[in-house]
Amino acid sequence: MGMGKVIEGLVEEAERQIRDQVWELSPADRSVAAKAAADLDAAVGTPQSRQGLPEVERLEHLREALAAVAIALAHVHGPLAWFLGAAATALTPILHWRALPAGEGPTFGAVQPTLHEYTEAEDAIRRLRRTLAAARVG
């Protein structure tokens, strides 16, 4: 299952729990969610803003987004931490991607993603961002 589908499943579950009042975000959770949403937006922006960027820059921005999720995770406990932890796990393939040619040296298992994989990762992060942004207002 691709990371986009995993993130979509997590988002649907989170939205259902919030809607059913199983998960009530605290003011502190809402603040962390808002900061994470802003950081994710800064990292991946819009699809149009990514067009034409070199793969090295796209990968850099994806790693920044993953770091933003990890930083948010470090500041919360309970359901928001579990949600962010699962999201970070879904995004871990980004950690194994490389944008540079392997050359003669070892790559430590890093692989070059396809353009489709870059787009899927960016879209998954945008979906996560929208959910976190909505959590701060709800």
Side-chain angles (χ1 to χ4, degrees):
M1 184 181 311
M3 73 176 73
K5 289 187 184 242
V6 174
I7 292 293
E8 187 61 35
L10 292 171
V11 163
E12 288 173 1
E13 181 181 349
E15 289 172 344
R16 185 174 43 257
Q17 288 185 20
I18 291 168
R19 183 181 54 253
D20 295 346
Q21 297 180 340
V22 173
W23 175 15
E24 293 187 28
L25 284 91
S26 69
D29 285 348
R30 291 180 193 284
S31 176
V32 169
K35 170 82 167 93
D39 291 346
L40 292 177
D41 188 51
V44 297
T46 64
Q48 297 79 15
S49 69
R50 300 297 147 217
Q51 288 179 352
L53 281 181
E55 290 178 22
V56 170
E57 287 185 39
R58 288 180 80 177
L59 183 54
E60 177 183 319
H61 293 294
L62 287 168
R63 288 176 179 160
E64 287 174 13
L66 182 54
V69 172
I71 289 167
L73 173 60
H75 294 285
V76 293
H77 303 282
L80 184 56
W82 306 332
F83 173 72
L84 291 171
T89 299
L91 298 172
T92 58
I94 293 167
L95 297 174
H96 301 286
W97 290 356
R98 62 180 170 83
L100 301 175
E104 298 295 320
T107 64
F108 303 99
V111 298
Q112 285 190 290
T114 64
L115 291 178
H116 173 76
E117 288 172 312
Y118 278 113
T119 301
E120 180 186 20
E122 291 161 349
D123 289 345
I125 290 166
R126 286 185 197 99
R127 180 65 173 111
L128 182 60
R129 184 209 60 79
R130 287 191 305 272
T131 299
L132 292 168
R136 70 184 167 100
V137 227

